[in-house]
Amino acid sequence: MPSHKTLEDIPFSVLDLAPILAGGTPSESFQNTVDLAQHAEKWGYNRYWLAEHHNMPAIASSATSVVIGHVAANTSKIRVGSGGIMLPNHAPLVIAEQFGTLESMFPGRIDLGLGRAPGTDQTTSYALRKNHKQNAQDFPEQLAELRTYFDPSIAEGKIRVRAFPGEGLDIPIWLLGSSGFSAELAAKEGLPFAFASHFSPNNTLAALQVYRRFFEPSEVLEKPYAMVGVNVIAADTDEEAQRLATSLQQQFLNLIRNQLGPLQPPVESMEGRWTEYEKAVLEKQLGGSIIGSPETVREKLNRFLKETEADEMIVASQIYDHTARLRSYEILTGIIKS
Protein backbone atom coordinates (compact mmCIF):
# COMPACT_ATOMS: atom_id res chain seq x y z
CA MET A 1 0.00 0.00 0.00
CA PRO A 2 1.45 3.42 -0.93
CA SER A 3 2.45 5.65 1.93
CA HIS A 4 0.49 8.82 2.58
CA LYS A 5 2.99 10.10 5.13
CA THR A 6 4.27 13.61 4.90
CA LEU A 7 7.47 15.03 6.37
CA GLU A 8 5.39 16.54 9.16
CA ASP A 9 4.06 13.08 10.10
CA ILE A 10 7.32 11.37 10.99
CA PRO A 11 9.99 12.04 13.64
CA PHE A 12 13.41 13.29 12.60
CA SER A 13 16.59 12.49 14.53
CA VAL A 14 20.29 13.39 14.44
CA LEU A 15 23.24 11.10 13.70
CA ASP A 16 26.47 12.72 14.90
CA LEU A 17 29.93 11.39 14.06
CA ALA A 18 31.51 14.01 16.36
CA PRO A 19 33.76 15.21 13.54
CA ILE A 20 37.33 16.20 14.36
CA LEU A 21 38.11 19.20 12.20
CA ALA A 22 41.36 20.02 10.46
CA GLY A 23 43.04 22.44 12.87
CA GLY A 24 40.74 21.36 15.70
CA THR A 25 40.85 18.94 18.64
CA PRO A 26 38.60 16.18 20.00
CA SER A 27 37.82 18.43 22.95
CA GLU A 28 36.39 21.02 20.55
CA SER A 29 34.49 18.27 18.75
CA PHE A 30 32.72 17.28 21.97
CA GLN A 31 31.87 20.93 22.68
CA ASN A 32 30.30 21.11 19.21
CA THR A 33 28.46 17.83 19.81
CA VAL A 34 26.89 19.11 23.02
CA ASP A 35 25.96 22.40 21.33
CA LEU A 36 24.33 20.59 18.42
CA ALA A 37 22.49 18.22 20.79
CA GLN A 38 21.12 21.13 22.79
CA HIS A 39 19.92 22.85 19.63
CA ALA A 40 18.44 19.57 18.33
CA GLU A 41 16.50 19.20 21.58
CA LYS A 42 15.23 22.77 21.32
CA TRP A 43 14.22 22.27 17.69
CA GLY A 44 12.24 19.10 18.48
CA TYR A 45 14.41 16.30 17.09
CA ASN A 46 13.45 12.90 18.44
CA ARG A 47 16.78 11.25 19.25
CA TYR A 48 20.50 11.97 19.06
CA TRP A 49 22.71 9.05 18.12
CA LEU A 50 26.49 8.65 18.05
CA ALA A 51 28.42 6.07 16.08
CA GLU A 52 31.31 3.80 17.03
CA HIS A 53 34.33 4.10 14.72
CA HIS A 54 37.98 3.35 15.41
CA ASN A 55 41.32 4.45 13.96
CA MET A 56 39.62 7.30 12.12
CA PRO A 57 41.22 10.71 12.69
CA ALA A 58 38.03 12.51 11.62
CA ILE A 59 35.70 10.85 14.14
CA ALA A 60 35.83 11.44 17.91
CA SER A 61 33.06 9.05 19.05
CA SER A 62 35.16 5.87 19.41
CA ALA A 63 34.27 5.55 23.14
CA THR A 64 30.62 5.78 22.17
CA SER A 65 28.94 5.05 25.49
CA VAL A 66 31.08 7.70 27.21
CA VAL A 67 30.04 10.35 24.68
CA ILE A 68 26.39 9.27 25.01
CA GLY A 69 26.61 9.92 28.75
CA HIS A 70 28.16 13.34 28.12
CA VAL A 71 25.38 14.32 25.71
CA ALA A 72 22.62 12.97 27.95
CA ALA A 73 24.05 14.88 30.93
CA ASN A 74 23.95 18.13 28.97
CA THR A 75 20.40 17.70 27.63
CA SER A 76 17.13 16.99 29.38
CA LYS A 77 14.52 15.44 27.07
CA ILE A 78 15.93 14.19 23.79
CA ARG A 79 16.63 10.45 23.54
CA VAL A 80 20.35 9.69 23.26
CA GLY A 81 21.87 6.49 21.96
CA SER A 82 24.19 4.59 19.67
CA GLY A 83 23.96 4.44 15.95
CA GLY A 84 25.59 2.13 16.62
CA ILE A 85 27.62 0.05 18.98
CA MET A 86 29.51 -2.51 16.89
CA LEU A 87 28.67 -5.55 18.98
CA PRO A 88 31.34 -7.95 17.62
CA ASN A 89 33.96 -5.57 19.06
CA HIS A 90 32.71 -6.12 22.61
CA ALA A 91 31.70 -8.68 25.18
CA PRO A 92 27.87 -8.46 25.35
CA LEU A 93 28.11 -8.29 29.17
CA VAL A 94 30.16 -5.08 28.95
CA ILE A 95 27.59 -3.44 26.68
CA ALA A 96 24.76 -4.54 28.98
CA GLU A 97 26.55 -2.96 31.95
CA GLN A 98 27.44 0.23 30.09
CA PHE A 99 23.94 0.81 28.77
CA GLY A 100 22.38 -0.37 32.02
CA THR A 101 24.45 2.33 33.70
CA LEU A 102 23.38 4.96 31.16
CA GLU A 103 19.70 4.02 31.49
CA SER A 104 19.99 4.13 35.28
CA MET A 105 21.48 7.62 35.06
CA PHE A 106 19.06 8.90 32.41
CA PRO A 107 15.87 6.83 32.74
CA GLY A 108 13.72 6.51 29.65
CA ARG A 109 16.15 8.35 27.39
CA ILE A 110 18.70 5.76 26.21
CA ASP A 111 18.66 3.81 22.91
CA LEU A 112 20.94 0.89 22.09
CA GLY A 113 21.50 0.62 18.35
CA LEU A 114 23.66 -2.35 17.36
CA GLY A 115 25.70 -3.03 14.25
CA ARG A 116 27.70 -6.07 13.21
CA ALA A 117 30.45 -4.40 11.18
CA PRO A 118 33.74 -3.56 12.92
CA GLY A 119 33.45 0.18 12.25
CA THR A 120 37.09 0.17 11.18
CA ASP A 121 39.74 -1.65 9.14
CA GLN A 122 40.79 -5.28 9.61
CA THR A 123 44.02 -4.48 11.46
CA THR A 124 42.22 -2.28 13.98
CA SER A 125 39.45 -4.83 14.29
CA TYR A 126 42.10 -7.39 15.25
CA ALA A 127 43.44 -5.00 17.90
CA LEU A 128 39.94 -4.50 19.33
CA ARG A 129 38.97 -8.12 19.77
CA LYS A 130 40.46 -10.40 22.39
CA ASN A 131 38.71 -13.36 20.76
CA HIS A 132 39.94 -13.13 17.19
CA LYS A 133 37.62 -15.94 16.09
CA GLN A 134 34.66 -13.73 16.93
CA ASN A 135 33.16 -12.09 13.84
CA ALA A 136 30.00 -10.69 12.29
CA GLN A 137 28.59 -14.17 11.67
CA ASP A 138 28.26 -14.59 15.45
CA PHE A 139 26.07 -11.49 15.68
CA PRO A 140 22.73 -13.33 16.24
CA GLU A 141 24.25 -15.27 19.16
CA GLN A 142 25.82 -12.13 20.62
CA LEU A 143 22.49 -10.32 20.33
CA ALA A 144 20.70 -13.16 22.12
CA GLU A 145 23.29 -13.14 24.91
CA LEU A 146 23.02 -9.37 25.31
CA ARG A 147 19.22 -9.50 25.53
CA THR A 148 19.33 -12.14 28.27
CA TYR A 149 21.36 -9.78 30.48
CA PHE A 150 18.49 -7.29 30.34
CA ASP A 151 15.81 -9.98 30.63
CA PRO A 152 17.03 -13.25 32.23
CA SER A 153 13.60 -14.84 31.73
CA ILE A 154 14.37 -15.42 28.05
CA ALA A 155 17.61 -17.29 28.78
CA GLU A 156 17.93 -21.00 28.12
CA GLY A 157 19.14 -22.76 31.24
CA LYS A 158 20.50 -21.38 34.48
CA ILE A 159 21.87 -17.85 34.58
CA ARG A 160 25.38 -17.71 36.05
CA VAL A 161 26.36 -14.20 35.00
CA ARG A 162 24.15 -11.17 35.49
CA ALA A 163 24.46 -7.51 34.54
CA PHE A 164 24.25 -4.88 37.25
CA PRO A 165 23.17 -2.25 36.28
CA GLY A 166 21.25 -3.65 33.34
CA GLU A 167 19.07 -6.50 34.53
CA GLY A 168 15.37 -5.66 34.43
CA LEU A 169 15.80 -2.43 32.47
CA ASP A 170 13.76 -1.73 29.36
CA ILE A 171 16.34 -0.32 26.96
CA PRO A 172 15.16 -0.19 23.33
CA ILE A 173 17.40 -2.31 21.11
CA TRP A 174 17.66 -1.42 17.43
CA LEU A 175 19.43 -3.37 14.72
CA LEU A 176 21.42 -1.31 12.22
CA GLY A 177 22.45 -2.40 8.78
CA SER A 178 23.63 -1.51 5.30
CA SER A 179 22.51 -4.79 3.71
CA GLY A 180 19.84 -7.43 4.10
CA PHE A 181 21.43 -9.43 6.96
CA SER A 182 20.39 -7.23 9.87
CA ALA A 183 17.12 -6.40 8.13
CA GLU A 184 16.19 -10.09 8.18
CA LEU A 185 17.38 -10.57 11.76
CA ALA A 186 15.46 -7.49 12.96
CA ALA A 187 12.36 -8.85 11.23
CA LYS A 188 12.75 -12.28 12.82
CA GLU A 189 13.25 -10.80 16.30
CA GLY A 190 10.50 -8.19 15.93
CA LEU A 191 12.91 -5.31 16.60
CA PRO A 192 13.09 -1.81 15.11
CA PHE A 193 15.49 -1.48 12.20
CA ALA A 194 17.68 1.44 11.06
CA PHE A 195 19.17 1.37 7.58
CA ALA A 196 22.37 3.23 6.68
CA SER A 197 21.16 4.83 3.47
CA HIS A 198 23.59 7.70 4.09
CA PHE A 199 26.46 5.52 2.84
CA SER A 200 24.68 2.56 1.20
CA PRO A 201 21.83 4.13 -0.79
CA ASN A 202 21.60 1.44 -3.46
CA ASN A 203 20.68 -1.26 -0.92
CA THR A 204 18.01 0.76 0.88
CA LEU A 205 14.78 -0.32 -0.75
CA ALA A 206 15.73 -4.01 -0.94
CA ALA A 207 16.65 -4.13 2.76
CA LEU A 208 13.47 -2.33 3.81
CA GLN A 209 11.44 -4.75 1.70
CA VAL A 210 13.10 -7.73 3.43
CA TYR A 211 12.47 -6.23 6.86
CA ARG A 212 8.79 -5.51 6.22
CA ARG A 213 8.05 -8.75 4.38
CA PHE A 214 9.51 -11.05 7.04
CA PHE A 215 8.63 -9.05 10.15
CA GLU A 216 7.26 -11.12 13.04
CA PRO A 217 5.37 -9.24 15.78
CA SER A 218 6.99 -9.37 19.20
CA GLU A 219 6.59 -7.99 22.70
CA VAL A 220 8.68 -5.08 21.47
CA LEU A 221 6.78 -4.21 18.29
CA GLU A 222 3.44 -5.17 16.79
CA LYS A 223 4.44 -3.96 13.32
CA PRO A 224 7.67 -2.99 11.56
CA TYR A 225 9.36 0.29 12.45
CA ALA A 226 12.05 1.41 10.03
CA MET A 227 14.31 4.41 10.47
CA VAL A 228 16.42 5.46 7.51
CA GLY A 229 19.72 7.33 7.68
CA VAL A 230 20.26 10.14 5.18
CA ASN A 231 22.89 12.81 4.57
CA VAL A 232 21.32 16.25 4.52
CA ILE A 233 23.39 19.33 3.83
CA ALA A 234 21.16 22.38 3.66
CA ALA A 235 22.11 26.01 3.14
CA ASP A 236 20.43 29.18 1.97
CA THR A 237 21.36 28.44 -1.67
CA ASP A 238 22.04 25.32 -3.71
CA GLU A 239 25.53 26.60 -4.51
CA GLU A 240 26.48 27.09 -0.88
CA ALA A 241 25.14 23.64 0.07
CA GLN A 242 27.15 22.03 -2.74
CA ARG A 243 30.25 23.83 -1.49
CA LEU A 244 29.68 22.66 2.10
CA ALA A 245 29.19 19.09 0.85
CA THR A 246 32.75 18.95 -0.46
CA SER A 247 33.99 18.28 3.09
CA LEU A 248 31.99 15.04 3.16
CA GLN A 249 33.18 14.18 -0.35
CA GLN A 250 36.81 14.78 0.62
CA GLN A 251 36.39 12.56 3.69
CA PHE A 252 35.09 9.63 1.62
CA LEU A 253 37.72 10.24 -1.05
CA ASN A 254 40.42 9.99 1.61
CA LEU A 255 38.84 6.74 2.82
CA ILE A 256 39.05 5.32 -0.70
CA ARG A 257 42.70 6.35 -0.92
CA ASN A 258 43.48 5.19 2.62
CA GLN A 259 44.74 8.70 3.40
CA LEU A 260 42.88 9.24 6.65
CA GLY A 261 42.84 12.61 8.30
CA PRO A 262 40.55 15.12 10.02
CA LEU A 263 37.51 16.61 8.31
CA GLN A 264 38.70 19.15 5.76
CA PRO A 265 37.34 22.61 5.02
CA PRO A 266 35.10 22.87 1.95
CA VAL A 267 36.54 23.69 -1.46
CA GLU A 268 34.93 25.48 -4.40
CA SER A 269 34.92 22.35 -6.58
CA MET A 270 35.97 18.71 -6.46
CA GLU A 271 36.88 18.72 -10.14
CA GLY A 272 40.56 17.94 -10.52
CA ARG A 273 40.65 16.45 -7.02
CA TRP A 274 39.25 13.06 -7.95
CA THR A 275 39.52 10.70 -10.90
CA GLU A 276 36.47 9.67 -12.87
CA TYR A 277 36.63 6.26 -11.20
CA GLU A 278 36.78 7.81 -7.72
CA LYS A 279 33.90 10.12 -8.58
CA ALA A 280 31.81 7.12 -9.63
CA VAL A 281 32.65 5.23 -6.41
CA LEU A 282 31.66 8.24 -4.31
CA GLU A 283 28.44 8.64 -6.25
CA LYS A 284 27.60 5.04 -5.40
CA GLN A 285 28.18 5.68 -1.69
CA LEU A 286 26.90 9.23 -1.38
CA GLY A 287 24.38 9.35 -4.22
CA GLY A 288 21.47 9.41 -1.81
CA SER A 289 22.68 12.60 -0.14
CA ILE A 290 20.23 15.48 -0.07
CA ILE A 291 22.09 18.70 -0.72
CA GLY A 292 20.67 22.12 -1.46
CA SER A 293 18.55 25.11 -0.57
CA PRO A 294 15.39 24.74 1.56
CA GLU A 295 13.28 24.25 -1.58
CA THR A 296 15.62 21.63 -3.03
CA VAL A 297 15.91 19.75 0.26
CA ARG A 298 12.14 19.73 0.76
CA GLU A 299 11.56 18.32 -2.71
CA LYS A 300 14.22 15.61 -2.37
CA LEU A 301 13.16 14.64 1.16
CA ASN A 302 9.55 14.24 0.03
CA ARG A 303 10.69 12.00 -2.81
CA PHE A 304 12.88 9.98 -0.44
CA LEU A 305 10.00 9.51 2.02
CA LYS A 306 7.70 8.40 -0.79
CA GLU A 307 10.28 5.83 -1.94
CA THR A 308 11.18 4.44 1.49
CA GLU A 309 7.94 4.90 3.47
CA ALA A 310 10.24 5.50 6.42
CA ASP A 311 8.73 5.64 9.90
CA GLU A 312 11.54 7.97 10.98
CA MET A 313 14.60 9.60 9.41
CA ILE A 314 17.96 10.10 11.09
CA VAL A 315 20.03 12.83 9.53
CA ALA A 316 23.81 13.06 9.25
CA SER A 317 25.30 16.44 8.32
CA GLN A 318 29.08 16.16 8.06
CA ILE A 319 29.80 19.89 7.68
CA TYR A 320 33.15 21.46 8.55
CA ASP A 321 31.94 24.79 9.91
CA HIS A 322 29.96 24.29 13.11
CA THR A 323 27.79 27.35 12.54
CA ALA A 324 26.92 26.12 9.04
CA ARG A 325 26.15 22.69 10.49
CA LEU A 326 23.74 24.21 13.00
CA ARG A 327 22.19 26.24 10.19
CA SER A 328 21.66 23.07 8.13
CA TYR A 329 19.70 21.40 10.94
CA GLU A 330 17.79 24.65 11.56
CA ILE A 331 16.76 24.79 7.90
CA LEU A 332 15.67 21.16 8.09
CA THR A 333 13.59 21.97 11.18
CA GLY A 334 11.78 24.65 9.23
CA ILE A 335 11.10 22.23 6.38
CA ILE A 336 9.66 19.43 8.50
CA LYS A 337 7.52 21.77 10.61
CA SER A 338 6.14 23.87 7.75
Side-chain angles (χ1 to χ4, degrees):
M1 177 182 290
S3 171
H4 298 292
K5 296 172 188 167
T6 66
L7 298 176
E8 295 80 15
D9 293 332
I10 68 168
F12 276 74
S13 295
V14 175
L15 176 61
D16 180 12
L17 298 181
I20 302 174
L21 308 179
T25 65
S27 180
E28 292 166 347
S29 298
F30 297 137
Q31 291 172 22
N32 290 340
T33 283
V34 166
D35 189 46
L36 176 56
Q38 290 171 340
H39 278 85
E41 182 171 77
K42 179 178 70 175
W43 289 330
Y45 285 89
N46 189 38
R47 60 186 97 241
Y48 195 100
W49 278 9
L50 295 129
E52 177 187 346
H53 291 278
H54 300 279
N55 197 28
M56 292 192 178
I59 298 174
S61 53
S62 54
T64 316
S65 59
V66 178
V67 187
I68 289 170
H70 183 54
V71 171
N74 284 280
T75 51
S76 58
K77 297 180 296 184
I78 194 168
R79 298 193 66 85
V80 189
S82 57
I85 290 290
M86 302 297 113
L87 191 55
N89 293 343
H90 309 279
L93 175 62
V94 171
I95 299 306
E97 291 171 339
Q98 288 179 358
F99 278 77
T101 299
L102 288 167
E103 175 64 19
S104 299
M105 290 176 170
F106 310 103
R109 294 183 56 209
I110 301 300
D111 295 326
L112 176 49
L114 300 170
R116 69 186 188 102
T120 189
D121 57 87
Q122 281 191 327
T123 303
T124 309
S125 174
Y126 190 88
L128 280 165
R129 299 176 184 180
K130 185 175 181 180
N131 176 9
H132 300 301
K133 295 180 180 178
Q134 183 171 292
N135 57 47
Q137 300 309 312
D138 301 323
F139 185 66
E141 291 75 22
Q142 292 175 299
L143 172 64
E145 180 185 344
L146 174 62
R147 295 181 76 186
T148 63
Y149 290 126
F150 294 128
D151 181 6
S153 70
I154 64 175
E156 296 180 3
K158 185 178 179 181
I159 298 290
R160 287 185 165 82
V161 179
R162 298 162 69 183
F164 302 111
E167 187 172 303
L169 296 180
D170 183 17
I171 302 171
I173 291 178
W174 293 68
L175 296 193
L176 282 54
S178 57
S179 66
F181 183 97
S182 290
E184 191 169 347
L185 182 60
K188 177 187 173 187
E189 299 294 334
L191 294 172
F193 176 59
F195 186 82
S197 189
H198 57 298
F199 66 79
S200 185
N202 294 339
N203 293 331
T204 305
L205 298 183
L208 293 176
Q209 185 179 38
V210 165
Y211 174 60
R212 289 166 176 149
R213 176 187 296 174
F214 295 105
F215 183 84
E216 299 178 19
S218 69
E219 291 184 2
V220 176
L221 283 179
E222 293 182 359
K223 59 182 182 179
Y225 191 94
M227 179 163 66
V228 182
V230 58
N231 294 310
V232 176
I233 296 178
D236 293 325
T237 66
D238 287 339
E239 293 76 17
E240 176 60 9
Q242 291 291 344
R243 189 184 75 86
L244 294 174
T246 61
S247 294
L248 175 66
Q249 292 163 347
Q250 290 177 81
Q251 184 177 12
F252 271 75
L253 181 60
N254 287 336
L255 280 171
I256 292 171
R257 295 174 174 175
N258 197 28
Q259 297 174 351
L260 304 183
L263 188 67
Q264 297 298 310
V267 294
E268 291 305 316
S269 173
M270 290 294 291
E271 294 307 316
R273 294 176 179 270
W274 52 21
T275 67
E276 287 301 312
Y277 171 76
E278 290 170 335
K279 184 177 180 180
V281 171
L282 260 69
E283 176 62 27
K284 186 176 180 181
Q285 287 191 300
L286 300 177
S289 300
I290 294 175
I291 303 164
S293 64
E295 296 76 18
T296 300
V297 170
R298 180 183 288 108
E299 177 188 344
K300 291 184 177 180
L301 270 178
N302 274 311
R303 191 183 314 148
F304 187 62
L305 177 58
K306 186 176 181 181
E307 290 172 354
T308 62
E309 301 180 33
D311 298 296
E312 184 170 345
M313 291 190 198
I314 187 163
V315 174
S317 297
Q318 200 74 330
I319 297 172
Y320 178 85
D321 181 76
H322 181 61
T323 301
R325 191 174 184 222
L326 290 176
R327 177 63 181 147
S328 181
Y329 280 105
E330 184 180 28
I331 289 171
L332 180 58
T333 303
I335 291 169
I336 61 185
K337 290 187 175 180
S338 61

